[in-house]
Amino acid sequence: SPQVMVLTGVALGSLFSAGTMLLQFFADDVQLAAMVFWTFGDLARADWKDLWILFSVTLCILVFFLAGTRSYNAMGMGDETAKGLGVKAENVRLAGMMAASLATALIISFVGIISFVGLVAPHIVRRIIGDDHRFLMPATMFTGALMLLGSDIVARLILLPHVLPVSIFTSFLGAPVFIYLIIKGNQR
């Protein structure tokens, strides 16, 4: 169920945070500085070689998700309806979570943690174009990419000559927008 997935995610997040803290505890000053900078999340960390790896894997995962849009639409009507339409909801959900986890882990390993783009973009797009995943997924991908690109440009220019890590900017911008979307959604 969604509740079990969320609670499992919280528990795993706590477990891996403890692992990260343990690594930081035993790290020397240079390693500790590198870990802290990684937690800031910044696109400048990736070079052209990294970009090709990210592009290749991300493209495969995007194709996977775009190919499953009909199944996601069916699941949006409920698992029983999806089963009636021949969709194995549990398998689709598990495969989707595994693919999303792989994409997230890969991207984070190269650029660090960049907050709120993946939370805010789908909600904004869903309010504009609706719930049809055939249109929602590509529009969300495009919107998320534009949000990240725009945020990176502003983060680089806002404190010239210093470059602000993009995740700081996306968090300051994304958290209030996400809270607004939650409050607005509960008022309906």
Side-chain angles (χ1 to χ4, degrees):
S1 69
Q3 294 85 358
V4 171
M5 288 190 294
V6 168
L7 292 174
T8 302
V10 169
L12 286 174
S14 180
L15 175 69
F16 292 122
S17 290
T20 302
M21 287 187 280
L22 184 66
L23 290 173
Q24 289 174 338
F25 182 78
F26 290 110
D28 62 34
D29 290 343
V30 174
Q31 292 169 328
L32 186 60
M35 283 186 224
V36 169
F37 186 71
W38 175 79
T39 63
F40 288 166
D42 193 24
L43 298 178
R45 297 174 45 90
D47 59 20
W48 286 105
K49 179 183 165 195
D50 298 340
L51 182 64
W52 283 110
I53 295 169
L54 288 167
F55 175 77
S56 302
V57 175
T58 304
L59 182 64
C60 293
I61 290 173
L62 293 178
V63 169
F64 168 79
F65 278 115
L66 290 174
T69 56
R70 292 187 192 276
S71 297
Y72 300 127
N73 282 339
M75 290 170 59
M77 295 183 278
D79 283 2
E80 293 301 318
T81 304
K83 287 177 186 176
L85 294 171
V87 175
K88 296 179 180 178
E90 297 85 14
N91 294 347
V92 171
R93 189 174 290 114
L94 181 62
M97 286 191 329
M98 296 300 286
S101 297
L102 174 65
T104 303
L106 176 78
I107 292 167
I108 287 174
S109 69
F110 281 99
V111 298
I113 302 166
I114 299 176
S115 304
F116 286 101
V117 175
L119 286 174
V120 172
H123 290 286
I124 290 172
V125 172
R126 181 173 274 124
R127 288 182 176 273
I128 296 170
I129 68 168
D131 289 330
D132 189 343
H133 287 84
R134 293 174 299 161
F135 307 110
L136 180 64
M137 284 198 182
T140 298
M141 292 172 203
F142 184 71
T143 302
L146 282 179
M147 286 174 60
L148 184 57
L149 180 62
S151 297
D152 189 54
I153 291 170
V154 172
R156 289 174 185 273
L157 298 177
I158 198 166
L159 294 176
L160 275 175
H162 304 286
V163 176
L164 186 68
V166 71
S167 184
I168 294 172
F169 186 76
T170 59
S171 293
F172 274 123
L173 184 65
V177 170
F178 192 64
I179 291 168
Y180 169 78
L181 291 171
I182 290 171
I183 291 170
K184 197 75 169 157
N186 286 338
Q187 291 177 352
R188 287 184 174 186

